[in-house]
PDB file of all heavy atoms in Angstrom:
ATOM      1  N   GLU A  18      22.095  12.096   3.160  1.00  0.00           N
ATOM      2  CA  GLU A  18      21.452  13.120   3.946  1.00  0.00           C
ATOM      3  C   GLU A  18      20.414  13.869   3.092  1.00  0.00           C
ATOM      4  O   GLU A  18      20.795  14.517   2.119  1.00  0.00           O
ATOM      5  CB  GLU A  18      22.473  14.115   4.457  1.00  0.00           C
ATOM      6  CG  GLU A  18      21.868  15.164   5.379  1.00  0.00           C
ATOM      7  CD  GLU A  18      22.916  16.065   6.016  1.00  0.00           C
ATOM      8  OE1 GLU A  18      24.120  15.917   5.724  1.00  0.00           O
ATOM      9  OE2 GLU A  18      22.531  16.891   6.830  1.00  0.00           O
ATOM     10  N   PRO A  19      19.150  13.743   3.458  1.00  0.00           N
ATOM     11  CA  PRO A  19      18.114  14.483   2.723  1.00  0.00           C
ATOM     12  C   PRO A  19      18.073  15.946   3.197  1.00  0.00           C
ATOM     13  O   PRO A  19      18.315  16.250   4.364  1.00  0.00           O
ATOM     14  CB  PRO A  19      16.810  13.748   3.094  1.00  0.00           C
ATOM     15  CG  PRO A  19      17.090  13.125   4.418  1.00  0.00           C
ATOM     16  CD  PRO A  19      18.579  12.871   4.481  1.00  0.00           C
ATOM     17  N   GLU A  20      17.744  16.822   2.255  1.00  0.00           N
ATOM     18  CA  GLU A  20      17.579  18.219   2.581  1.00  0.00           C
ATOM     19  C   GLU A  20      16.442  18.762   1.743  1.00  0.00           C
ATOM     20  O   GLU A  20      16.401  18.542   0.514  1.00  0.00           O
ATOM     21  CB  GLU A  20      18.839  19.007   2.265  1.00  0.00           C
ATOM     22  CG  GLU A  20      18.752  20.468   2.627  1.00  0.00           C
ATOM     23  CD  GLU A  20      20.029  21.226   2.368  1.00  0.00           C
ATOM     24  OE1 GLU A  20      21.086  20.767   2.846  1.00  0.00           O
ATOM     25  OE2 GLU A  20      19.959  22.233   1.618  1.00  0.00           O
ATOM     26  N   THR A  21      15.509  19.463   2.380  1.00  0.00           N
ATOM     27  CA  THR A  21      14.362  20.011   1.671  1.00  0.00           C
ATOM     28  C   THR A  21      14.364  21.531   1.771  1.00  0.00           C
ATOM     29  O   THR A  21      14.492  22.084   2.855  1.00  0.00           O
ATOM     30  CB  THR A  21      13.039  19.470   2.269  1.00  0.00           C
ATOM     31  OG1 THR A  21      13.041  18.038   2.181  1.00  0.00           O
ATOM     32  CG2 THR A  21      11.833  19.999   1.509  1.00  0.00           C
ATOM     33  N   LYS A  22      14.296  22.144   0.598  1.00  0.00           N
ATOM     34  CA  LYS A  22      14.174  23.619   0.513  1.00  0.00           C
ATOM     35  C   LYS A  22      13.089  23.925  -0.497  1.00  0.00           C
ATOM     36  O   LYS A  22      13.055  23.354  -1.594  1.00  0.00           O
ATOM     37  CB  LYS A  22      15.503  24.230   0.037  1.00  0.00           C
ATOM     38  CG  LYS A  22      16.616  24.221   1.023  1.00  0.00           C
ATOM     39  CD  LYS A  22      17.824  24.921   0.498  1.00  0.00           C
ATOM     40  CE  LYS A  22      18.954  24.847   1.511  1.00  0.00           C
ATOM     41  NZ  LYS A  22      20.189  25.407   0.983  1.00  0.00           N
ATOM     42  N   ASN A  23      12.195  24.821  -0.109  1.00  0.00           N
ATOM     43  CA  ASN A  23      11.077  25.221  -0.989  1.00  0.00           C
ATOM     44  C   ASN A  23      10.320  23.993  -1.499  1.00  0.00           C
ATOM     45  O   ASN A  23      10.004  23.905  -2.679  1.00  0.00           O
ATOM     46  CB  ASN A  23      11.580  26.082  -2.152  1.00  0.00           C
ATOM     47  CG  ASN A  23      12.228  27.341  -1.671  1.00  0.00           C
ATOM     48  OD1 ASN A  23      11.781  27.965  -0.702  1.00  0.00           O
ATOM     49  ND2 ASN A  23      13.293  27.754  -2.322  1.00  0.00           N
ATOM     50  N   SER A  24      10.076  23.036  -0.624  1.00  0.00           N
ATOM     51  CA  SER A  24       9.334  21.799  -0.928  1.00  0.00           C
ATOM     52  C   SER A  24      10.025  20.874  -1.914  1.00  0.00           C
ATOM     53  O   SER A  24       9.390  19.973  -2.448  1.00  0.00           O
ATOM     54  CB  SER A  24       7.914  22.157  -1.436  1.00  0.00           C
ATOM     55  OG  SER A  24       7.229  22.885  -0.470  1.00  0.00           O
ATOM     56  N   VAL A  25      11.314  21.069  -2.151  1.00  0.00           N
ATOM     57  CA  VAL A  25      12.077  20.214  -3.065  1.00  0.00           C
ATOM     58  C   VAL A  25      13.161  19.506  -2.219  1.00  0.00           C
ATOM     59  O   VAL A  25      13.973  20.169  -1.591  1.00  0.00           O
ATOM     60  CB  VAL A  25      12.731  21.005  -4.208  1.00  0.00           C
ATOM     61  CG1 VAL A  25      13.594  20.105  -5.093  1.00  0.00           C
ATOM     62  CG2 VAL A  25      11.650  21.692  -5.043  1.00  0.00           C
ATOM     63  N   THR A  26      13.144  18.162  -2.260  1.00  0.00           N
ATOM     64  CA  THR A  26      14.121  17.399  -1.502  1.00  0.00           C
ATOM     65  C   THR A  26      15.272  16.957  -2.401  1.00  0.00           C
ATOM     66  O   THR A  26      15.042  16.438  -3.490  1.00  0.00           O
ATOM     67  CB  THR A  26      13.474  16.158  -0.868  1.00  0.00           C
ATOM     68  OG1 THR A  26      12.386  16.597  -0.018  1.00  0.00           O
ATOM     69  CG2 THR A  26      14.457  15.377  -0.029  1.00  0.00           C
ATOM     70  N   THR A  27      16.483  17.168  -1.919  1.00  0.00           N
ATOM     71  CA  THR A  27      17.678  16.651  -2.568  1.00  0.00           C
ATOM     72  C   THR A  27      18.385  15.742  -1.557  1.00  0.00           C
ATOM     73  O   THR A  27      18.139  15.794  -0.364  1.00  0.00           O
ATOM     74  CB  THR A  27      18.621  17.777  -3.028  1.00  0.00           C
ATOM     75  OG1 THR A  27      18.968  18.562  -1.907  1.00  0.00           O
ATOM     76  CG2 THR A  27      17.980  18.619  -4.118  1.00  0.00           C
ATOM     77  N   TYR A  28      19.284  14.918  -2.076  1.00  0.00           N
ATOM     78  CA  TYR A  28      19.994  13.975  -1.240  1.00  0.00           C
ATOM     79  C   TYR A  28      21.487  14.088  -1.501  1.00  0.00           C
ATOM     80  O   TYR A  28      21.940  13.959  -2.633  1.00  0.00           O
ATOM     81  CB  TYR A  28      19.550  12.542  -1.563  1.00  0.00           C
ATOM     82  CG  TYR A  28      18.082  12.333  -1.384  1.00  0.00           C
ATOM     83  CD1 TYR A  28      17.204  12.531  -2.450  1.00  0.00           C
ATOM     84  CD2 TYR A  28      17.528  11.979  -0.168  1.00  0.00           C
ATOM     85  CE1 TYR A  28      15.828  12.371  -2.302  1.00  0.00           C
ATOM     86  CE2 TYR A  28      16.166  11.815   0.011  1.00  0.00           C
ATOM     87  CZ  TYR A  28      15.318  12.024  -1.074  1.00  0.00           C
ATOM     88  OH  TYR A  28      13.970  11.874  -0.907  1.00  0.00           O
ATOM     89  N   CYS A  29      22.219  14.377  -0.424  1.00  0.00           N
ATOM     90  CA  CYS A  29      23.677  14.427  -0.495  1.00  0.00           C
ATOM     91  C   CYS A  29      24.199  13.066  -0.062  1.00  0.00           C
ATOM     92  O   CYS A  29      23.889  12.593   1.022  1.00  0.00           O
ATOM     93  CB  CYS A  29      24.224  15.529   0.390  1.00  0.00           C
ATOM     94  SG  CYS A  29      26.033  15.575   0.418  1.00  0.00           S
ATOM     95  N   VAL A  30      24.985  12.425  -0.910  1.00  0.00           N
ATOM     96  CA  VAL A  30      25.536  11.097  -0.631  1.00  0.00           C
ATOM     97  C   VAL A  30      27.037  11.235  -0.543  1.00  0.00           C
ATOM     98  O   VAL A  30      27.653  11.933  -1.340  1.00  0.00           O
ATOM     99  CB  VAL A  30      25.148  10.091  -1.743  1.00  0.00           C
ATOM    100  CG1 VAL A  30      25.751   8.728  -1.463  1.00  0.00           C
ATOM    101  CG2 VAL A  30      23.650  10.011  -1.897  1.00  0.00           C
ATOM    102  N   TRP A  31      27.628  10.579   0.436  1.00  0.00           N
ATOM    103  CA  TRP A  31      29.075  10.589   0.538  1.00  0.00           C
ATOM    104  C   TRP A  31      29.593   9.166   0.732  1.00  0.00           C
ATOM    105  O   TRP A  31      28.942   8.302   1.276  1.00  0.00           O
ATOM    106  CB  TRP A  31      29.581  11.507   1.642  1.00  0.00           C
ATOM    107  CG  TRP A  31      29.241  11.128   3.053  1.00  0.00           C
ATOM    108  CD1 TRP A  31      30.008  10.355   3.882  1.00  0.00           C
ATOM    109  CD2 TRP A  31      28.081  11.476   3.782  1.00  0.00           C
ATOM    110  NE1 TRP A  31      29.369  10.206   5.104  1.00  0.00           N
ATOM    111  CE2 TRP A  31      28.194  10.889   5.059  1.00  0.00           C
ATOM    112  CE3 TRP A  31      26.934  12.208   3.493  1.00  0.00           C
ATOM    113  CZ2 TRP A  31      27.208  11.026   6.036  1.00  0.00           C
ATOM    114  CZ3 TRP A  31      25.961  12.350   4.453  1.00  0.00           C
ATOM    115  CH2 TRP A  31      26.106  11.770   5.720  1.00  0.00           C
ATOM    116  N   TYR A  32      30.807   8.977   0.191  1.00  0.00           N
ATOM    117  CA  TYR A  32      31.518   7.721   0.277  1.00  0.00           C
ATOM    118  C   TYR A  32      32.991   8.075   0.508  1.00  0.00           C
ATOM    119  O   TYR A  32      33.651   8.525  -0.443  1.00  0.00           O
ATOM    120  CB  TYR A  32      31.326   6.909  -0.993  1.00  0.00           C
ATOM    121  CG  TYR A  32      32.081   5.608  -1.057  1.00  0.00           C
ATOM    122  CD1 TYR A  32      32.167   4.769   0.015  1.00  0.00           C
ATOM    123  CD2 TYR A  32      32.744   5.246  -2.212  1.00  0.00           C
ATOM    124  CE1 TYR A  32      32.876   3.572  -0.038  1.00  0.00           C
ATOM    125  CE2 TYR A  32      33.435   4.038  -2.322  1.00  0.00           C
ATOM    126  CZ  TYR A  32      33.496   3.216  -1.223  1.00  0.00           C
ATOM    127  OH  TYR A  32      34.214   2.039  -1.281  1.00  0.00           O
ATOM    128  N   GLY A  33      33.439   7.994   1.747  1.00  0.00           N
ATOM    129  CA  GLY A  33      34.765   8.499   2.070  1.00  0.00           C
ATOM    130  C   GLY A  33      34.779   9.989   1.863  1.00  0.00           C
ATOM    131  O   GLY A  33      33.969  10.713   2.405  1.00  0.00           O
ATOM    132  N   LYS A  34      35.676  10.471   1.006  1.00  0.00           N
ATOM    133  CA  LYS A  34      35.770  11.924   0.723  1.00  0.00           C
ATOM    134  C   LYS A  34      34.969  12.344  -0.507  1.00  0.00           C
ATOM    135  O   LYS A  34      34.846  13.546  -0.782  1.00  0.00           O
ATOM    136  CB  LYS A  34      37.234  12.318   0.541  1.00  0.00           C
ATOM    137  CG  LYS A  34      38.020  12.174   1.822  1.00  0.00           C
ATOM    138  CD  LYS A  34      39.453  12.621   1.662  1.00  0.00           C
ATOM    139  CE  LYS A  34      40.200  12.452   2.977  1.00  0.00           C
ATOM    140  NZ  LYS A  34      41.555  12.937   2.934  1.00  0.00           N
ATOM    141  N   ALA A  35      34.418  11.388  -1.233  1.00  0.00           N
ATOM    142  CA  ALA A  35      33.635  11.706  -2.428  1.00  0.00           C
ATOM    143  C   ALA A  35      32.179  12.038  -2.031  1.00  0.00           C
ATOM    144  O   ALA A  35      31.613  11.401  -1.172  1.00  0.00           O
ATOM    145  CB  ALA A  35      33.624  10.534  -3.395  1.00  0.00           C
ATOM    146  N   CYS A  36      31.626  13.065  -2.649  1.00  0.00           N
ATOM    147  CA  CYS A  36      30.244  13.477  -2.385  1.00  0.00           C
ATOM    148  C   CYS A  36      29.523  13.688  -3.726  1.00  0.00           C
ATOM    149  O   CYS A  36      30.125  14.073  -4.725  1.00  0.00           O
ATOM    150  CB  CYS A  36      30.192  14.781  -1.622  1.00  0.00           C
ATOM    151  SG  CYS A  36      30.854  14.677   0.028  1.00  0.00           S
ATOM    152  N   LYS A  37      28.229  13.468  -3.690  1.00  0.00           N
ATOM    153  CA  LYS A  37      27.417  13.667  -4.876  1.00  0.00           C
ATOM    154  C   LYS A  37      26.013  14.010  -4.454  1.00  0.00           C
ATOM    155  O   LYS A  37      25.492  13.450  -3.484  1.00  0.00           O
ATOM    156  CB  LYS A  37      27.416  12.412  -5.747  1.00  0.00           C
ATOM    157  CG  LYS A  37      26.844  12.607  -7.124  1.00  0.00           C
ATOM    158  CD  LYS A  37      27.173  11.398  -8.002  1.00  0.00           C
ATOM    159  CE  LYS A  37      26.627  11.598  -9.402  1.00  0.00           C
ATOM    160  NZ  LYS A  37      26.925  10.431 -10.250  1.00  0.00           N
ATOM    161  N   ASP A  38      25.347  14.929  -5.166  1.00  0.00           N
ATOM    162  CA  ASP A  38      23.962  15.312  -4.865  1.00  0.00           C
ATOM    163  C   ASP A  38      23.024  14.713  -5.892  1.00  0.00           C
ATOM    164  O   ASP A  38      23.351  14.629  -7.098  1.00  0.00           O
ATOM    165  CB  ASP A  38      23.812  16.822  -4.878  1.00  0.00           C
ATOM    166  CG  ASP A  38      24.550  17.485  -3.726  1.00  0.00           C
ATOM    167  OD1 ASP A  38      24.546  16.925  -2.611  1.00  0.00           O
ATOM    168  OD2 ASP A  38      25.138  18.552  -3.935  1.00  0.00           O
ATOM    169  N   TYR A  39      21.849  14.321  -5.422  1.00  0.00           N
ATOM    170  CA  TYR A  39      20.809  13.737  -6.265  1.00  0.00           C
ATOM    171  C   TYR A  39      19.489  14.443  -6.004  1.00  0.00           C
ATOM    172  O   TYR A  39      19.163  14.741  -4.849  1.00  0.00           O
ATOM    173  CB  TYR A  39      20.616  12.247  -5.954  1.00  0.00           C
ATOM    174  CG  TYR A  39      21.832  11.402  -6.206  1.00  0.00           C
ATOM    175  CD1 TYR A  39      22.817  11.267  -5.217  1.00  0.00           C
ATOM    176  CD2 TYR A  39      22.005  10.732  -7.395  1.00  0.00           C
ATOM    177  CE1 TYR A  39      23.932  10.496  -5.435  1.00  0.00           C
ATOM    178  CE2 TYR A  39      23.133   9.947  -7.625  1.00  0.00           C
ATOM    179  CZ  TYR A  39      24.080   9.844  -6.632  1.00  0.00           C
ATOM    180  OH  TYR A  39      25.205   9.066  -6.860  1.00  0.00           O
ATOM    181  N   SER A  40      18.726  14.672  -7.042  1.00  0.00           N
ATOM    182  CA  SER A  40      17.380  15.241  -6.874  1.00  0.00           C
ATOM    183  C   SER A  40      16.320  14.157  -7.096  1.00  0.00           C
ATOM    184  O   SER A  40      15.148  14.398  -6.867  1.00  0.00           O
ATOM    185  CB  SER A  40      17.153  16.402  -7.850  1.00  0.00           C
ATOM    186  OG  SER A  40      17.363  15.963  -9.177  1.00  0.00           O
ATOM    187  N   ASP A  41      16.719  12.978  -7.534  1.00  0.00           N
ATOM    188  CA  ASP A  41      15.814  11.864  -7.818  1.00  0.00           C
ATOM    189  C   ASP A  41      16.266  10.641  -7.001  1.00  0.00           C
ATOM    190  O   ASP A  41      17.379  10.160  -7.167  1.00  0.00           O
ATOM    191  CB  ASP A  41      15.838  11.571  -9.315  1.00  0.00           C
ATOM    192  CG  ASP A  41      14.895  10.485  -9.722  1.00  0.00           C
ATOM    193  OD1 ASP A  41      14.978   9.368  -9.184  1.00  0.00           O
ATOM    194  OD2 ASP A  41      14.057  10.745 -10.615  1.00  0.00           O
ATOM    195  N   ILE A  42      15.390  10.160  -6.157  1.00  0.00           N
ATOM    196  CA  ILE A  42      15.710   9.024  -5.290  1.00  0.00           C
ATOM    197  C   ILE A  42      16.023   7.763  -6.101  1.00  0.00           C
ATOM    198  O   ILE A  42      16.907   6.981  -5.715  1.00  0.00           O
ATOM    199  CB  ILE A  42      14.582   8.752  -4.272  1.00  0.00           C
ATOM    200  CG1 ILE A  42      15.032   7.770  -3.189  1.00  0.00           C
ATOM    201  CG2 ILE A  42      13.322   8.243  -4.932  1.00  0.00           C
ATOM    202  CD1 ILE A  42      15.915   8.355  -2.156  1.00  0.00           C
TER     203      ILE A  42
END
């Protein structure tokens, strides 16, 4: 799931119950 705030996009990735955020595609 991409999310953009203040022109900066981050990506929240989930696999089952595990989640991780990325700032670099």
Side-chain angles (χ1 to χ4, degrees):
E18 184 174 3
E20 182 178 307
T21 302
K22 288 184 183 175
N23 299 322
S24 300
V25 176
T26 302
T27 57
Y28 303 91
C29 177
V30 179
W31 67 92
Y32 176 43
K34 293 183 180 183
C36 295
K37 191 168 182 181
D38 292 322
Y39 298 85
S40 58
D41 183 303
I42 192 77

